[in-house]
Amino acid sequence: MTTLTKTFAALSDDTRLTLVEKLLKRGELPAGTLAAEAEISAPAISRHLKVLREAGVIVQRVEGTHRYYSVQPDALRAIHGWTMDHRAFWSGSLDRLDTLLALEPDDTPGEGTE
Amino acid sequence: MTTLTKTFAALSDDTRLTLVEKLLKRGELPAGTLAAEAEISAPAISRHLKVLREAGVIVQRVEGTHRYYSVQPDALRAIHGWTMDHRAFWSGSLDRLDTLLALEPDDTPGEGTE
DNA sequence: TCTTTATTTTCGTCAAATGTTAATTAACAG
DNA sequence: CTGTTAATTAACATTTGACGAAAATAAAGA
């Protein structure tokens, strides 16, 4: 498995995507808070956090008995980067035929540079 | 499963990500070409294509006995959109702490960070 | 030390995913 | 209608992933 497929795999579960979005919106949170807000057991959440950690999507900070989790920005950058690598295929028009034309070595109209 | 987790699930396998990247780089291709270039059997590829199709990542065009596959741009747009929704978290600074501070202008409980 | 609190690991089970080979459907040529 | 090519589906074995319950680890405090 490549780094990217591991990242996608980590985010391919609703429970885990929800955990990540909580961390994205609210910042660093302890495992206990994440477990309390979830509908499944604390051990199950702990395992999901482990999957996310091993995929490099989140990082853990230990403080006493608490484990604080937060999102690793590089993981989102990697996904963003992958979509940008293939931007010519999906950006520009909403029409698929136009996307094919966008592959021509021609500059993309309408969109300002970012 | 949400649309997004289904998309991530479809791309969470190396074989499938490779198929998608071939289609992104070379445009529409028949199942036979994709199967011939893969290291696993044609039936296995056929099922991977089905997973991608059911997740909305690729579309199929039938012409005689041939099935031509191509990437559905909306799938990549959805992923790109998700990363952009949380852009504040990973863009700007390369430092993780900066991102946390940017989201919480006040309350910073920890003192001994890392 | 003994106990409480916070979190993770282990265990047993079950559903889903993956790969192979064989069989099947579909289009087309003779 | 029979044979050939393209692609999918069927059947089967194996692996992987997810869950709850219970046990284990680790830090704090009485």
Side-chain angles (χ1 to χ4, degrees), chain B residues 13 16 41 43 47-48 64-65:
Chain B
D13 177 274
R16 287 195 293 268
S41 67
R47 276 196 319 221
H48 279 301
T65 62

Side-chain angles (χ1 to χ4, degrees), chain B residues 75-96:
Chain B
L76 293 221
R77 284 195 195 106
I79 295 173
H80 178 77
W82 185 74
T83 66
M84 293 304 281
D85 286 346
H86 302 288
R87 187 172 48 83
F89 210 89
W90 55 264
S91 73
S93 170
L94 290 167
D95 191 283
R96 180 158 42 89

Side-chain angles (χ1 to χ4, degrees), chain A residues 9 33 62 89 102:
Chain A
T33 300
V62 178
F89 211 90

Side-chain angles (χ1 to χ4, degrees), chain A residues 17-27 29 34 37-38:
Chain A
L17 186 63
T18 300
L19 288 171
V20 169
E21 293 194 324
K22 271 185 209 279
L23 295 174
L24 283 168
K25 285 175 193 150
R26 296 155 59 187
L29 290 173
L34 294 169
E37 294 179 4

Side-chain angles (χ1 to χ4, degrees), chain A residues 26-103:
Chain A
R26 296 155 59 187
E28 195 184 56
L29 290 173
T33 300
L34 294 169
E37 294 179 4
E39 295 187 346
I40 59 179
S41 67
I45 293 297
S46 180
R47 280 194 304 267
H48 280 301
L49 290 170
K50 186 180 184 181
V51 170
L52 288 167
R53 193 170 0 111
E54 288 179 347
V57 174
I58 62 175
V59 291
Q60 188 190 56
R61 182 173 66 85
V62 178
E63 192 180 306
T65 62
H66 295 259
R67 267 77 174 171
Y68 292 93
Y69 288 96
S70 56
V71 175
Q72 167 86 61
D74 283 342
L76 293 223
R77 283 195 195 106
I79 296 173
H80 179 77
W82 184 74
T83 66
M84 292 305 280
D85 286 346
H86 303 288
R87 187 174 52 85
F89 211 90
W90 55 263
S91 73
S93 168
L94 291 166
D95 191 286
R96 184 153 43 89
L97 291 178
D98 271 343
T99 307
L100 291 172
L101 296 173
L103 287 177

Side-chain angles (χ1 to χ4, degrees), chain B residues 26-83:
Chain B
R26 297 155 61 188
E28 194 183 57
L29 290 172
T33 300
L34 294 168
E37 294 179 5
E39 296 187 344
I40 59 179
S41 67
I45 293 298
S46 181
R47 276 196 319 221
H48 279 301
L49 290 171
K50 185 179 184 180
V51 170
L52 289 167
R53 189 165 10 104
E54 288 179 347
V57 174
I58 62 175
V59 290
Q60 187 190 57
R61 183 173 67 83
V62 178
E63 192 180 307
T65 62
H66 295 258
R67 264 76 173 171
Y68 292 93
Y69 288 96
S70 56
V71 175
Q72 168 84 62
D74 282 342
L76 293 221
R77 284 195 195 106
I79 295 173
H80 178 77
W82 185 74
T83 66

